[in-house]
Amino acid sequence: MQLKLVQEEKMSSLGQLVAGIAHEINNPVNFISGNLIYAQKYIESLLKLLQLYENYTPDTIQEIQDFSQFLELDFLKEDLPKLLSSIMVGSNRIQEIVLSLRIFSRLDEAEIKEVDLHTGIDSTLMILHSRLRATQERPAIEVIKEYGELIPIECYVGQMNQVFMNLLCNAVDAIDEKINNVQLPKIEKAGVDKLTSLPTQFPTPNSILPKSKIEFTPQIKIRTKLTKDQKFILIQIIDNGIGISREVQQRIFEQFFTTKDVGKGTGLGLAIAHQIIVEKHKVTLEVKSVSGHGSQFIITIPIYRIED
């Protein structure tokens, strides 16, 4: 109980911090974005005026000609609009990140609210964008979204976002662990569909290769759909990472249990996710995995109102 209270207080403080940062960033970003529109119009007008001068006064004094060459005027006229467009793209990107932070900062909300689950998943992916990018060790993680047609449902929105964050972070960690492992079974272009039909035993590898020779496409697949009886929503988060052994699967949701090195894992992420799904939402969080081929976490959420 003490652990739960401490964790809830930490997440509430984190939600307030994220919301405050998002609010403070939002104002100057909106100012920049709003003024970029006018800057673009002004630059277009100035370039048009410059073109008119060049058309009607082709013979200019030597000083102007020398300065034009010094400025590389032709390159400047071509590159300046591109530069401004890049700035606008960057500004829009910051706005998207701020919006995702504001959505994710609902961590401090304790009430049941009607939400679109896809919005929560997308905001979490936006926040995790830096972890999904390519690194020196691996290519970018491909995120495959197979969203079904869902209706807004009532749930603890902030805590549900926390579950998405924990599961997606765990998927990224599993992929990185597979890449960083010294010796792994040879898997060529192994996708997340390996988990569609899970074998009872992992086949004995024909050869063991060092990590430098292993080639596979890191993937995370997110599926959402309604059950046939239209009473539940299923969310599947599937990765083709290192996988989880049967022994570890039996303890994976235990508090303080972790297979990560000291300082890299607390053993609370999946335990908290399980607590939120099972205790708060009265449904299930399942795991299926094949060692070496990845893992699949299945969340089942009721469409009807949750009652404590």
Side-chain angles (χ1 to χ4, degrees):
M1 180 59 69
Q2 183 180 6
L3 175 64
K4 292 180 181 179
L5 291 174
V6 170
Q7 185 64 25
E8 287 179 2
E9 181 62 28
K10 285 182 177 179
M11 298 314 297
S12 177
S13 299
L14 177 61
Q16 295 173 10
L17 175 63
V18 171
I21 293 173
H23 177 73
E24 292 300 324
I25 295 175
N26 193 51
N27 289 334
V29 169
N30 285 340
F31 172 80
I32 294 170
S33 179
N35 282 281
L36 278 174
I37 298 174
Y38 296 105
Q40 186 177 36
K41 292 180 179 179
Y42 297 158
I43 289 175
E44 289 175 355
S45 298
L46 289 172
L47 290 176
K48 186 176 180 180
L49 177 63
L50 181 60
Q51 186 64 46
L52 290 173
Y53 269 111
E54 291 179 339
N55 292 340
Y56 293 102
T57 57
D59 299 325
T60 58
I61 61 175
Q62 188 63 40
E63 184 178 358
I64 294 178
Q65 294 178 14
D66 293 341
F67 191 66
S68 297
Q69 292 178 357
F70 174 77
L71 288 178
E72 298 182 343
L73 186 58
D74 291 337
F75 172 77
L76 188 149
K77 290 188 294 183
E78 179 182 354
D79 192 59
L80 186 57
K82 295 179 182 179
L83 177 63
L84 192 61
S85 296
S86 298
I87 295 173
M88 294 186 73
V89 170
S91 176
N92 292 334
R93 174 70 177 170
I94 296 174
Q95 286 183 309
E96 291 173 358
I97 294 173
V98 169
L99 178 59
S100 297
L101 288 172
R102 295 179 68 179
I103 293 172
F104 190 77
S105 66
R106 294 173 179 173
L107 286 168
D108 59 337
E109 293 184 7
E111 298 180 358
I112 295 176
K113 294 187 177 182
E114 192 174 82
V115 295
D116 179 2
L117 292 175
H118 291 159
T119 301
I121 296 172
D122 289 340
S123 67
T124 305
L125 289 172
M126 177 69 73
I127 294 172
L128 288 175
H129 177 73
S130 61
R131 295 203 61 192
L132 299 172
R133 291 183 302 184
T135 67
Q136 293 181 349
E137 298 292 329
R138 61 158 171 80
I141 298 176
E142 180 183 3
V143 177
I144 304 171
K145 295 190 285 188
E146 297 180 355
Y147 288 171
E149 293 186 7
L150 306 183
I151 61 174
I153 67 166
E154 293 180 335
C155 67
Y156 295 93
V157 54
Q159 295 184 12
M160 191 59 65
N161 287 344
Q162 183 184 349
V163 171
F164 297 148
M165 176 65 77
N166 287 345
L167 294 182
L168 288 169
C169 282
N170 195 70
V172 175
D173 289 342
I175 290 173
D176 287 340
E177 186 177 353
K178 183 174 185 175
I179 295 291
N180 293 327
N181 207 309
V182 176
Q183 290 186 331
L184 292 171
K186 182 180 179 181
I187 301 174
E188 294 183 355
K189 302 296 181 182
V192 293
D193 289 328
K194 288 280 187 181
L195 291 169
T196 302
S197 57
L198 295 170
T200 55
Q201 293 183 346
F202 180 64
T204 304
N206 296 324
S207 60
I208 301 297
L209 299 178
K211 65 178 182 179
S212 60
K213 295 184 180 180
I214 295 172
E215 293 183 0
F216 84 110
T217 303
Q219 292 179 347
I220 296 176
K221 180 177 288 186
I222 305 171
R223 292 176 181 159
T224 63
K225 63 180 180 179
L226 287 172
T227 55
K228 293 181 179 179
D229 57 11
Q230 303 288 305
K231 292 183 178 180
F232 295 88
I233 288 176
L234 295 182
I235 301 176
Q236 298 169 289
I237 298 178
I238 312 166
D239 67 75
N240 61 344
I242 193 67
I244 307 170
S245 67
R246 289 186 178 183
E247 294 77 12
V248 173
Q249 288 183 51
Q250 295 175 357
R251 301 186 58 191
I252 196 169
F253 297 122
E254 292 182 12
Q255 291 181 351
F256 303 114
F257 175 77
T258 180
T259 58
K260 298 176 182 177
D261 296 335
V262 177
K264 293 185 178 180
T266 62
L268 288 175
L270 291 178
I272 292 170
H274 187 265
Q275 173 193 328
I276 290 171
I277 293 296
V278 176
E279 296 184 18
K280 281 284 188 180
H281 294 84
K282 312 298 182 185
V283 284
T284 60
L285 172 60
E286 302 175 82
V287 59
K288 297 180 181 180
S289 183
V290 175
S291 183
H293 284 281
S295 305
Q296 175 182 176
F297 287 87
I298 306 170
I299 306 171
T300 309
I301 306 173
I303 296 175
Y304 55 82
R305 183 175 177 83
I306 303 160
E307 297 180 358
D308 294 328

